[in-house]
Amino acid sequence: MAPTTAPLFDLTGRRALITGSSQGIGLCIARGLAQAGASVVLNGRDAGKLERAAQELRASGAAVEARAFDVTDEAAIAAARDALDPIDILVNNAGMHRRGPLVDMPLENWDAVLRSNLTAPFLMARAFAPGMIARGRGKVINLCSVMSEIARPTIANYAAAKGGLKMLTRALAVEWGRHNIQVNGLGPGYIATELNRSLIADEKFNAMICGRTPLGRWGRPEEIVGPAVYLASAASDFMTGQILYIDGGILAGL
Ligand code: GCO
C-alpha cells in the first residue's frame, strides 16, 4: 500500500525561519523542512557563509532566502520580522558555548551564553508571534538540549540557559495555545557538530560519552531532522509544551 502518512508531514505552502542555520544542526533542519515542502529562510551572522549554505540548498531545488542578522539584537530582529513575515515555523536553533569552570567564569561568558541560548529565543518568538496569532496558527521549535535536564562541570552557563529554554518553551505553549500556536522543543544529545569538535577529539571524553549513551555513539546532525519535521507539521498539531529528546538514550538512565 502506498504510504498515506505523507500529507501529515507535508509543509508545502509554509515558510520556515531557522536561526543559526549556516551549518550543523540548523542547516540540516532547514534542508529537512525544505525537503518536506517548506520555503526556508536561513539565518546566521556571517553573510558569506550563509549565502554559500543557501546556494547549496537552492541547488537541491529548495526555495531558500538568507538573512544575516544577530538574533540577540532587538532592532535587527524587528527589521528581519518586517522584511520576512509571514513566518509560519520559527526554529530557534542559534546558540553557543563558552565553557569553563564556574568559579573562574567571567560574567561576559555567562551573559553571552544566556543571551544567545535563552534571550534570543524569547526575542525571536516575541517578534514573530503576532503574525502567527493574526493567522490563527504557528509553530515554534526551540533547540533545547539534554543539558535542559542534566549538567556536567564547565558548562553551568549553557545548562542554565537550556534549562531555562525548556521552561520558556512550556511558558509560550500555555500562553499561545489558544491561538493555535504549538511551541515545542528538540533536545539533542551528544551530536557530532562543530560545537563539539574539541570534545570528540578528546579520547577520554569521547569514550565517556559513547559509554554513557545506550546507542553507544555520537549522533549525526541529520538525525535531528525527522523530529523537527514532525514538530513543524500538522502531525504535531495536538502537541505543545513538550521536549523531544534525540539523545541516543543518554537520559534513559545510568
Ligand atoms: C558539552 C556539549 C553539550 C552537548 C549539547 C547536547 O559541552 O557537554 O557541547 O552541551 O553537545 O548540549 O544538546
Side-chain angles (χ1 to χ4, degrees), residues 88-216:
D88 304 299
I89 303 157
L90 171 63
V91 182
N92 284 311
N93 166 76
M96 63 183 285
H97 255 299
R98 287 201 188 164
R99 301 181 179 95
L102 189 75
V103 72
D104 304 322
M105 186 176 289
L107 178 58
E108 197 282 329
N109 285 4
W110 173 270
D111 287 344
V113 169
L114 267 293
R115 217 173 147 78
S116 69
N117 289 285
L118 181 56
T119 305
F122 151 66
L123 293 173
M124 289 295 292
R126 186 185 67 175
F128 286 92
M132 293 178 179
I133 291 169
R135 290 187 297 276
R137 58 174 166 78
K139 298 281 187 181
V140 178
I141 300 168
N142 293 323
L143 265 289
C144 297
S145 161
V146 291
M147 268 65 215
S148 297
E149 302 293 346
I150 55 174
R152 74 175 184 89
T154 76
I155 60 167
N157 47 359
Y158 186 91
K162 292 299 190 182
L165 186 55
K166 173 178 75 172
M167 287 314 301
L168 176 63
T169 299
R170 291 180 178 158
L172 297 182
V174 299
E175 194 154 332
W176 292 342
R178 61 196 175 94
H179 300 298
N180 189 34
I181 297 171
Q182 291 81 27
V183 186
N184 291 286
L186 291 171
Y190 280 82
I191 308 295
T193 61
E194 194 54 38
L195 192 78
N196 291 327
R197 179 189 290 272
S198 61
L199 302 179
I200 297 168
D202 177 329
E203 277 183 38
K204 194 167 167 230
F205 191 93
N206 183 24
M208 184 274 287
I209 290 299
C210 293
R212 267 288 272 112
T213 303
L215 291 179

